[in-house]
Amino acid sequence: MTEAASPPTSGTHRWVSLMVRDLTTAQRFYGELFGWEFDAGPTQLGPYVRALRDGHPVAGIGESAAGAQQVVAWLPYIATRDVDATAGRIRECGGTVAVGPIEVEQVGRLAIASDVNGAAFGLWQGGPRRSAPFYGPTGTPEWNELITADTSVVSKFYSVVLGYEAAPEPAQPEELDYLTLRLDGRPVASIRGVGAAALPQDRGPHWITYFSVPDVDEGLKAVERLGGRVLGEPEVSPFGRWAKVADPEGGNFAIVRPPGR
């Protein structure tokens, strides 16, 4: 899961993880959709596998305890040099720390928190949780985006807690409530304000992960063939052609073909 290396820069998105009710079904769906292979990961929090693409770890999938009542959702893990201090800032800024900080099999420390509007995310202190670049071939995470009612308050939360500069994205239409989160001028994630009425009732504010595919239309066909659902027609943005989908247990994510690929 980790190699000996210097800790990543605080605020970078280092990992995405999914908790499901049926790990075997999830492995079959994502394995066929993205060409992932799997190996065993840390079992401290229950059954867990790492997804590999071309031998590189790109994501993790765990199985929830029997009877656990939770929404199936992809969770981004954000790097921090001091998870305890970051957890403290989260509480001070009106967020919640639900799990940890805890040690994970002597390779790092993690916490699971939620922002001031209730969207869950993870924190990771330790070495890189994947050896591949964030941008890569089919099935690698390209981007994380926060879907929330509006960007005004929550952008200040992430700026204080993780040091982001939140600014409008010039490539997006001015009428959209859309901000890009940057570190030292480099974009690392985004926040999309959709209005309270547009938030899904089963999950409210939430992060969504975009995974790369070579062809969005073929990807949508594969999602349905494998038991998932298409949640909207493909859209074109400055960041590529994309569409929102769900896995067989309802876990939302997006598939995207970035420009130039």
Side-chain angles (χ1 to χ4, degrees):
M1 189 165 97
T2 59
E3 297 84 11
S6 59
T9 302
S10 293
T12 54
H13 285 229
R14 302 305 305 170
W15 191 248
V16 291
S17 189
L18 177 70
M19 297 300 293
V20 297
R21 292 180 287 273
D22 186 333
L23 184 56
T24 300
T25 297
Q27 287 180 259
R28 184 181 305 116
F29 173 83
Y30 286 101
E32 292 192 34
L33 180 63
F34 291 141
W36 287 351
E37 298 179 336
F38 301 92
D39 67 4
T43 58
Q44 184 172 340
L45 300 179
Y48 189 87
V49 296
R50 299 185 310 170
L52 308 176
R53 179 65 188 180
D54 298 333
H56 297 290
V58 293
I61 305 178
E63 188 169 81
S64 302
Q69 299 296 318
Q70 65 183 49
V71 174
V72 176
W74 282 97
L75 193 73
Y77 278 81
I78 304 172
T80 173
R81 296 293 181 97
D82 188 335
V83 69
D84 295 273
T86 304
R89 286 196 298 274
I90 287 171
R91 296 186 183 99
E92 292 170 359
C93 292
T96 302
V97 179
V99 177
I102 59 173
E103 296 286 340
V104 180
E105 297 189 2
Q106 299 182 341
V107 295
R109 286 171 61 75
L110 69 76
I112 298 175
S114 58
D115 64 34
V116 69
N117 286 346
F121 62 97
L123 298 172
W124 176 254
Q125 177 186 337
R129 294 200 67 180
R130 53 188 159 76
S131 55
F134 202 55
Y135 307 100
T138 300
T140 55
E142 289 284 332
W143 193 249
N144 287 317
E145 183 173 85
L146 174 63
I147 308 299
T148 192
D150 66 82
T151 64
S152 58
V153 174
V154 75
S155 63
K156 297 175 183 176
F157 170 89
Y158 285 99
S159 294
V160 173
V161 170
L162 291 161
Y164 295 133
E165 176 191 356
E169 174 55 54
Q172 292 282 13
E174 290 185 4
E175 63 270 18
L176 288 182
D177 184 11
Y178 187 95
L179 298 176
T180 299
L181 300 177
R182 299 175 183 271
L183 288 174
D184 298 324
R186 182 172 60 88
V188 295
S190 57
I191 307 176
R192 183 184 298 270
V194 298
L199 290 174
Q201 294 184 356
D202 64 336
R203 65 192 64 222
H206 61 282
W207 284 90
I208 185 168
T209 298
Y210 289 66
F211 293 95
S212 61
V213 294
D215 187 301
V216 171
D217 296 303
E218 291 301 316
L220 295 178
K221 293 177 185 177
V223 166
E224 292 187 316
R225 175 174 54 82
L226 295 168
R229 291 182 296 127
V230 175
L231 301 180
E233 294 296 320
E235 299 183 35
V236 177
S237 78
F239 312 107
R241 190 165 185 262
W242 67 278
K244 189 176 180 181
V245 298
D247 66 27
E249 292 193 16
N252 291 356
F253 62 100
I255 55 175
V256 61
R257 181 176 181 180
R261 294 200 201 164

